[in-house]
Amino acid sequence: MGGKTELNIKQKKFRSAIVLAGGRGRRMGSVEKALLEFEGKTILERLLESLFRVVDEVIISFRDKSQEENFRPVIEKFPAREIRFCFDTLEDAGPLEGIRAGLLESRGEYSFVCAGDMPFVDSRVVDLLFEKASGYDAALPKWEDGKFEPLHAVYSKKMIPEIEKAFEKGKRSVLTPVFEMKDVFFVEVSEIRGIEPELRSFANINTTEDIENIIGSETILDKELL
């Protein structure tokens, strides 16, 4: 019995998460969206609480050192958790550069990637994506209309060379390296809906209207993250 338990522990793969916080929030007056607070917690706090239910480490991708300093008060609330940082080496290269830097820094073969302004990320959905990614290069949610959720997906380190090739060609879309990888598992959103019917996990903040909608949903948000 003890041997079986030990075997299961050994077989459990190390999981990483990469939070993309380097965006400049230009559509909202250049605010740090991840640090927006309601009900006593920042969006980043809520996101970290959810992620640490299913991952072993979180890499936060910043654009520079000064941005990291702004986030220190939130990060210090998680002293028992492994939180590390990475920084963009290409300026204004978008989320693709953050993903590249995060994958280079991460200890796990697979990393869940999400934006830092996604307060509803559901740990059950993240867990499903990790399971689907096993043995593949990535696991990416796909909507019924053929669109994808590239900033709410699990990627393996095999994406790194494909990102670098994309940069060499002057391309910045996250989907460019995704479609160059050989074995990508596309997870139908209908399956994710079976776990999280309202699909709040994909919601992010881009405008002041989005903030108002979230404030109106605080009670639901708190229940999800308890």
Side-chain angles (χ1 to χ4, degrees), residues 58-91:
V58 172
I59 312 298
I60 304 179
S61 174
F62 295 117
R63 57 182 176 270
D64 52 42
K65 282 282 187 180
S66 62
Q67 187 191 21
E68 176 200 337
E69 290 301 317
N70 293 334
F71 280 69
R72 281 286 178 181
V74 174
I75 294 165
E76 289 171 356
K77 294 181 180 182
F78 296 84
R81 298 295 191 176
E82 185 172 350
I83 301 175
R84 294 183 292 116
F85 318 118
C86 65
F87 302 92
D88 292 353
T89 56
L90 293 176
E91 188 175 352

Side-chain angles (χ1 to χ4, degrees), residues 79-199:
R81 298 295 191 176
E82 185 172 350
I83 301 175
R84 294 183 292 116
F85 318 118
C86 65
F87 302 92
D88 292 353
T89 56
L90 293 176
E91 188 175 352
D92 291 327
L96 195 55
E97 167 61 7
I99 295 173
R100 186 193 70 86
L103 289 173
L104 286 170
E105 181 67 27
S106 65
R107 292 169 55 200
E109 174 62 25
Y110 291 94
S111 297
F112 172 74
V113 172
C114 69
D117 61 353
M118 302 179 79
F120 296 100
V121 167
D122 191 311
S123 58
R124 299 168 299 173
V125 178
V126 177
D127 188 58
L128 173 69
L129 291 173
F130 271 111
E131 290 181 1
K132 298 293 187 180
S134 181
Y136 291 85
D137 296 339
L140 192 76
K142 180 180 179 181
W143 290 86
E144 290 86 350
D145 62 1
K147 294 182 180 179
F148 304 93
E149 291 287 345
L151 297 185
H152 187 291
V154 169
Y155 300 111
S156 73
K157 286 184 177 290
K158 292 181 180 179
M159 191 175 183
I160 297 172
E162 299 303 336
I163 292 176
E164 292 171 348
K165 290 176 186 176
F167 283 153
E168 289 173 2
K169 297 175 182 178
K171 296 183 178 180
R172 298 290 187 264
S173 168
V174 176
L175 289 174
T176 297
V178 169
F179 293 141
E180 291 299 323
M181 290 190 289
K182 295 180 180 179
D183 297 307
V184 177
F185 192 103
F186 294 107
V187 184
E188 298 296 333
V189 167
S190 58
E191 182 174 357
I192 295 174
R193 191 178 279 111
I195 296 173
E196 210 257 288
E198 295 185 8
L199 300 176

Side-chain angles (χ1 to χ4, degrees), residues 10 26 56:
K10 288 181 178 178
R26 292 188 176 97
D56 302 287

